[in-house]
Amino acid sequence: MASCYYKSSSFCSILVVVVLGVLVGFAGRSSAQLSTNFYSKSCPKVFSTVKSVVQSAISKENRMGASLLRLHFHDCFVNGCDGSILLDDTSSFTGEKTAGPNNNSVRGFEVIDKIKSQVEKACPGVVSCADIVAIAARDSVDILGGPSWAVKLGRRDAKTASIGAANSGLPPPTSSLDNLITMFKSLGLSKRDMVALSGSHTIGKARCTVFRPRIYNETNIDASFAKTRQNSCPKTPGSGDNNLAPLDTQTPNSFDPKYFQNLINKKGLLHSDQVLFNGGSTDSLVKTYSASAATFYSDFAKAMIKMGDIKPLTGSQGEIRKNCRRPN
């Protein structure tokens, strides 16, 4: 550290404390090491390579865009954005894929494998699986008509995974509004971030077993909407559990604010969707986003960047996996 040339020793002491405090602050926020141009020299083709594979996957199946976006959520919410969700079970740990919120639900792993294969051909051993997931999520939203944003990169890959953390760290579809606010806040995400990120349910589908209690037991639901959903989701558990329904019935394959309009009309498919508009503190945000795509897109992009900053491994932490499904 440079010498202090001021005559006052007390000022020097304060200056040293302040500088140390700033340095410690940066050391504690590894997200500060992420940057949008991290691969500009080491892998300049990473963005075009990822987007090409994502575009092809979505062309084959629109739903894949939502699946890739969800992969990023479920990765970041469990011990940070470290690619741990991609790991298969090993003899030393049970991965996150079979955790309650992920089992028979989270998908898109083959697309990530294909992207990784293509990226490895372009620049071997450089780009992490965690970063590939982050870029693929952004590209999926963009391709389906939503906003784009500059993805911060430089994450490294975890060498292990935790089924326990996945079981406890992901908000269930039965969540109350308070539960959602608290869970997102614990990860540094505000109430506004939470509502904006919930808007990702403008694309994708959910299984009958997840929304059955809402369409049969709840009263803050449009009757005709509930009836339509009941037609393909029998009341008896174990019957039709895996039958799918779109989270947004209006435009299920377009990233737009229609999700929020559905909530106002009591057509949220999941309990955790409808609680955002049910006489609580987030009603006004739902109204704002339903009326303004620009505001929703802007807030969603900001929230995605914040979410991507959750506890990344950087520097010498973790590794750059050669195969996204297993540690090196």
Side-chain angles (χ1 to χ4, degrees):
M1 187 179 291
S3 301
C4 187
Y5 293 104
Y6 289 89
K7 293 179 182 177
S8 166
S9 60
S10 61
F11 180 86
C12 286
S13 298
I14 292 170
L15 182 63
V16 169
V17 169
V18 169
V19 171
L20 280 173
V22 170
L23 290 174
V24 169
F26 275 114
R29 285 185 59 213
S30 52
S31 60
Q33 297 175 34
L34 301 182
S35 70
T36 56
N37 60 358
F38 190 85
Y39 298 115
S40 59
K41 292 190 171 122
S42 60
C43 194
K45 291 184 178 178
V46 63
F47 290 118
S48 58
T49 304
V50 174
K51 189 156 193 176
S52 173
V53 178
V54 173
Q55 180 76 67
S56 175
I58 292 176
S59 295
K60 290 174 186 168
E61 183 197 15
N62 272 314
R63 184 188 172 202
M64 187 53 69
S67 298
L68 293 172
L69 174 58
R70 189 160 177 252
L71 261 185
H72 189 35
F73 276 99
H74 282 228
D75 185 30
C76 292
F77 267 61
V78 181
N79 295 330
C81 312
D82 60 3
S84 59
I85 193 170
L86 306 174
L87 291 170
D88 289 337
D89 297 350
T90 71
S91 57
S92 58
F93 66 81
T94 302
E96 298 163 21
K97 292 181 179 179
T98 54
N102 295 335
N103 198 29
N104 297 319
S105 175
V106 170
R107 57 200 293 276
F109 300 110
E110 294 80 8
V111 177
I112 299 299
D113 290 341
K114 187 169 184 182
I115 295 171
K116 179 64 172 173
S117 174
Q118 295 297 316
V119 170
E120 284 295 301
K121 288 177 186 174
C123 29
V126 173
V127 181
S128 69
C129 299
D131 277 346
I132 285 172
V133 170
I135 299 169
R138 186 275 308 272
D139 289 348
S140 295
V141 172
D142 181 37
I143 289 166
L144 292 174
S148 186
W149 58 91
V151 181
K152 290 163 69 174
L153 302 166
R155 301 170 192 81
R156 288 169 66 83
D157 296 321
K159 297 178 183 180
T160 187
S162 170
I163 187 171
N167 277 323
S168 63
L170 292 163
T174 53
S175 296
S176 68
L177 181 58
D178 285 344
N179 290 153
L180 290 172
I181 292 170
T182 300
M183 190 168 273
F184 277 71
K185 187 178 180 181
S186 72
L187 296 169
L189 298 167
S190 68
K191 187 194 303 185
R192 192 177 189 98
D193 295 329
M194 183 271 289
V195 178
L197 291 172
S198 296
S200 62
H201 283 181
T202 180
I203 52 176
K205 296 179 180 180
R207 294 179 301 147
C208 165
T209 187
V210 173
F211 60 81
R212 179 183 283 123
R214 168 148 171 78
I215 62 172
Y216 284 102
N217 303 334
E218 298 187 8
T219 55
N220 60 339
I221 187 167
D222 177 85
S224 62
F225 170 73
K227 180 64 178 170
T228 300
R229 293 280 70 87
Q230 289 169 8
N231 289 337
S232 58
C233 180
K235 190 171 186 177
T236 307
S239 176
D241 282 2
N242 292 321
N243 292 350
L244 298 171
L247 288 158
D248 171 7
T249 56
Q250 292 193 69
T251 52
N253 296 317
S254 297
F255 196 99
D256 56 31
K258 296 288 174 60
Y259 164 81
F260 296 105
Q261 295 173 18
N262 293 337
L263 299 187
I264 292 171
N265 293 322
K266 297 184 178 180
K267 294 180 180 180
L269 184 62
L270 307 181
H271 176 84
S272 55
D273 289 326
Q274 196 60 55
V275 294
L276 301 180
F277 191 83
N278 194 40
S281 62
T282 53
D283 282 16
S284 59
L285 276 171
V286 170
K287 287 180 179 176
T288 296
Y289 293 151
S290 72
S292 172
T295 305
F296 167 44
Y297 289 170
S298 174
D299 284 0
F300 183 84
K302 289 175 190 171
M304 285 296 290
I305 292 169
K306 279 178 72 174
M307 187 184 77
D309 278 348
I310 297 173
K311 294 189 292 185
L313 300 174
T314 58
S316 60
Q317 299 172 312
E319 63 184 9
I320 303 298
R321 273 182 232 142
K322 295 182 178 70
N323 180 330
C324 290
R325 291 176 182 261
R326 58 176 181 265
N328 292 341

